[in-house]
Amino acid sequence: MRYVVVGAGAVGGTIGGRLAQHGHDVVLVARGAHATALRERGLELRTPDGVHHVRTEVADGVPSLRLRPGDVAILATKSQHSTAALADLAALSIDGEPASEIVPIACAQNGVDNERLALRLFRRVYGVYVALPATHLQ
């Protein structure tokens, strides 16, 4: 199983970073300078138990992803970016099958409408309750 974290900011970066830190296969999806920084320097997590440096695969935006069987998408964008991110994910495929039929989407976002938006395009959608005091520093 591989976790594809779309939106590698405070919440997505923390979720993806912790998963990777504990041995899970993770792809962080970011854009522009943020993607470049993650690729070049990795992700730094500052937690009560210390500072952790994590390296994962980084995709420069959803369209550059190459999904594979077993992928699970974690949507961690701001709610105003959900529609575009979900449309980009739905446009992808795995071995010729639409991602929307195969890939489960876990919405780890603020707001009350994200799961409904995801259900318009994806068959398997899950809401994630996020209680995470996180800040994206740089």
Side-chain angles (χ1 to χ4, degrees):
M1 178 184 299
R2 180 175 73 161
Y3 296 95
V4 178
V5 181
V6 180
V11 171
T14 301
I15 292 170
R18 285 298 205 178
L19 286 167
Q21 181 183 19
H22 294 282
H24 296 280
D25 194 4
V26 175
V27 178
L28 296 176
V29 181
R31 297 177 298 188
H34 185 50
T36 301
L38 287 170
R39 197 174 289 112
E40 291 176 357
R41 295 188 296 278
L43 179 68
E44 181 179 279
L45 292 171
R46 295 177 183 215
T47 69
D49 61 325
V51 177
H52 310 278
H53 296 276
V54 179
R55 291 221 174 249
T56 70
E57 182 181 342
V58 177
D60 193 8
V62 173
S64 69
L65 280 171
R66 297 295 171 254
L67 295 177
R68 61 187 194 206
D71 281 353
V72 173
I74 300 173
L75 188 63
T77 63
K78 299 283 187 195
S79 291
Q80 65 264 29
H81 302 296
S82 293
T83 301
L86 289 163
D88 286 346
L89 277 167
L92 300 176
S93 64
I94 300 173
D95 297 331
E97 295 293 323
S100 59
E101 293 292 318
I102 301 168
V103 177
I105 303 288
C107 297
Q109 304 164 275
N110 291 327
V112 296
D113 207 31
N114 298 298
E115 292 81 9
R116 186 179 63 82
L117 293 172
L119 280 166
R120 290 180 178 172
L121 298 171
F122 286 83
R123 174 178 275 203
R124 295 167 37 205
V125 175
Y126 304 89
V128 177
Y129 174 73
V130 179
L132 179 69
T135 301
H136 182 203
L137 299 174
Q138 290 190 51

